[in-house]
Amino acid sequence: MDSHPETLIVTGALGGAGRWIVDRLAEEPYTIVAVDRDLPTGTPPDGVDFRAVDLVDAGETTDLVLSVDPDAIVHLAAIPDPLDHAGERVYRNNVLSTYNVLNAAGRVGADVTWTSSESAYGFPFAESVRTPDVLPIEEHHPLRPADPYGLSKVSGEETAKTVVRRDGISVCSIRPSWVQYPGEYFVTELREAFDIDVLAADPEGAVGGGPGNYWSYVDVRDLADQIARSLTIDIDGHEAVHCHAQDNYLGEETTDLFAALLGEVPEPCSLSGEESAFSMAKARDLLGWTPSHDWRSESAVDGPDFGAP
């Protein structure tokens, strides 16, 4: 990653996380071209140039990238889960848009930070509970996607590696957890309804049980800060990095949760207390990033004053 990019393209700029990330990056001395399918309503940050582009269209994407000639691209655009759209649509949209962005980035020599997902491991959205090979889960854990969304993210990471080999750019694939927004943490209702004894009795039917991401989450402000940080770090080739809060969202010992869910704690395991099932060590060592927000300190704050029509 270029340590001092001047011009950025940010895709998915009107999405839930995208608006916060554009707002955060607008605090830096970048020239930002923000991209989505539509132009924004409301009051976008001063100096951000919005463009309406269909990234599934290779011609539109290439034309955008060639005309802007950015130093770096932050690629956020995607259908964010497999629940509300046909699987084929999720996979096709995410794979084609990511391929088009990465391919064009490589051709102009622009480094890329993009949002992959913890779904690449195959834990969320699986039809039955899956057991991790080790705890905490690190970025080298095998990727075994179980749904079209997770599969699209694995395809994106493989595309990133291909473009890195071909064009010599760097790509940071961030694997965020379930993104939460200040003043509307969805995990709050799950925590209030959770009962660990019910989880042990009915692992797949209990609130907070069944297929999932092992009770992990991340505040959107921490995701925005990690992306901003990635743009200032020299990355060699392709690197995948977790972006999670430090703890689980239930306020229980994480090993107790695994024991209730699985009947045993996966080994080897070096988790302690309420520590997240996903390791933040690489994010700390590579990017110098640690999360600053958690459910205990969560409160409403004013968010971006612009969005999709």
Side-chain angles (χ1 to χ4, degrees):
M1 193 67 59
D2 189 335
S3 295
H4 303 284
E6 296 180 359
T7 302
L8 304 179
I9 291 175
V10 182
T11 76
L14 300 183
R19 296 178 301 118
W20 287 83
I21 292 163
V22 168
D23 225 27
R24 170 66 179 81
L25 294 176
E27 299 173 3
E28 306 295 335
Y30 299 135
T31 298
I32 298 176
V33 176
V35 176
D36 215 300
R37 289 182 179 271
D38 300 293
L39 296 176
T41 61
T43 309
D46 290 340
V48 177
D49 179 10
F50 275 85
R51 310 277 182 92
V53 176
D54 180 3
L55 297 173
V56 173
D57 186 302
E60 288 192 29
T61 306
T62 302
D63 182 64
L64 167 76
V65 174
L66 290 177
S67 65
V68 174
D69 192 18
D71 302 299
I73 297 176
V74 175
H75 176 49
L76 312 171
I79 296 175
D81 65 57
L83 301 179
D84 299 324
H85 303 274
E88 183 273 340
R89 181 180 176 189
V90 172
Y91 183 77
R92 173 169 48 85
N93 176 88
N94 293 358
V95 169
L96 288 178
S97 60
T98 300
Y99 172 81
N100 290 339
V101 169
L102 287 166
N103 185 55
R107 296 306 188 189
V108 300
D111 296 326
V112 178
T113 290
W114 77 289
T115 44
S116 181
S117 173
E118 66 184 5
S119 293
Y121 296 110
F123 305 128
F125 308 119
E127 293 183 357
S128 59
V129 176
R130 292 186 170 193
T131 303
D133 293 359
V134 63
L135 289 174
I137 299 158
E138 298 181 326
E139 286 84 352
H140 55 75
H141 188 287
L143 305 181
R144 303 174 181 131
D147 69 281
Y149 174 70
L151 182 60
S152 75
K153 295 302 185 178
V154 174
S155 177
E157 291 198 25
E158 290 302 315
T159 301
K161 295 172 188 176
T162 298
V163 173
V164 165
R165 287 191 295 268
R166 185 191 71 192
D167 299 314
I169 65 170
S170 67
V171 179
C172 183
S173 295
I174 293 177
R175 296 176 184 164
S177 187
W178 184 15
V179 179
Q180 306 295 303
Y181 298 89
E184 50 181 347
Y185 267 38
F186 295 117
V187 299
T188 301
E189 293 182 4
L190 294 178
R191 184 171 57 257
E192 291 174 348
F194 178 73
D195 186 320
I196 196 166
D197 293 329
V198 175
L199 176 63
D202 184 12
E204 295 199 25
V207 173
N213 65 350
Y214 304 131
W215 319 283
S216 69
Y217 69 103
V218 68
D219 189 290
V220 68
R221 293 166 291 181
D222 283 328
L223 173 58
D225 283 341
Q226 189 184 93
I227 288 172
R229 181 65 179 162
S230 74
L231 296 171
T232 69
I233 300 297
D234 288 323
I235 293 174
D236 184 14
H238 173 262
E239 295 286 354
V241 185
H242 289 159
C243 186
H244 294 59
Q246 294 280 25
D247 59 352
N248 69 65
Y249 59 71
L250 291 177
E252 302 275 356
E253 297 275 328
T254 306
T255 52
D256 290 347
L257 293 170
F258 273 102
L261 178 68
L262 303 173
E264 61 182 2
V265 178
E267 296 290 347
C269 175
S270 59
L271 292 177
S272 62
E274 299 170 17
E275 189 177 12
S276 172
F278 294 81
S279 171
M280 292 300 102
K282 185 174 181 181
R284 181 189 65 242
D285 295 343
L286 179 67
L287 302 179
W289 174 91
T290 56
S292 301
H293 303 89
D294 58 50
W295 63 265
R296 287 182 172 84
S297 60
E298 186 265 341
S299 60
V301 299
D302 292 333
D305 190 23
F306 65 97

